[in-house]
Amino acid sequence: MKLPTEIFGNVVVVHTPEELGEDHAEQLVVFLTTQERSNVILDIDGTEAIDSAGLASLLESQEALREVDGDLRVATTNKVNRKILEITRLDQHLEVYDSVIDAVKSYV
């Protein structure tokens, strides 16, 4: 899996694919945890479908990144994705920001 990324100092921003499901979940964890930086922001604005495997991959990635003194934060203005994070209560486990810039600033 190859996803678009941007580097901001010690933070890497990763833009997710249109679908974040079982087909991509394991690959996403590997991709997020093998970046040169362990502070990762996942921009899910472009994702139109997220299933339970995709959601689980977010928590698995966060855990793996924290083991190497990093973290995973999520950025989205997509109201549907934000609602999914709220309903599943993942917003209580992951820091969710309204913009990539706000998420980047949270690492400073």
Side-chain angles (χ1 to χ4, degrees), residues 23-78:
D23 294 345
H24 299 105
E26 189 175 318
Q27 295 173 11
L28 179 67
V29 174
V30 171
F31 186 81
L32 295 178
T33 57
T34 57
Q35 296 299 301
E36 290 181 21
R37 288 153 176 83
S38 58
N39 291 327
V40 178
I41 296 166
L42 196 62
D43 175 10
I44 62 171
D45 271 351
T47 300
E48 296 179 12
I50 305 174
D51 71 12
S52 60
L55 294 171
S57 71
L58 300 181
L59 292 176
E60 187 178 337
S61 298
Q62 180 188 50
E63 184 179 319
L65 289 166
R66 285 182 172 174
E67 288 176 6
V68 294
D69 295 324
D71 203 359
L72 175 71
R73 298 184 182 163
V74 176
T76 187
T77 57
N78 183 314

Side-chain angles (χ1 to χ4, degrees), residues 44 50 55 76-91 96:
I44 62 171
I50 305 174
L55 294 171
T76 187
T77 57
N78 183 314
K79 292 180 191 230
V80 173
N81 289 344
R82 195 174 263 296
K83 192 67 169 174
I84 289 169
L85 295 173
E86 289 173 13
I87 289 170
T88 59
R89 300 188 190 271
L90 283 182
D91 64 337
V96 182

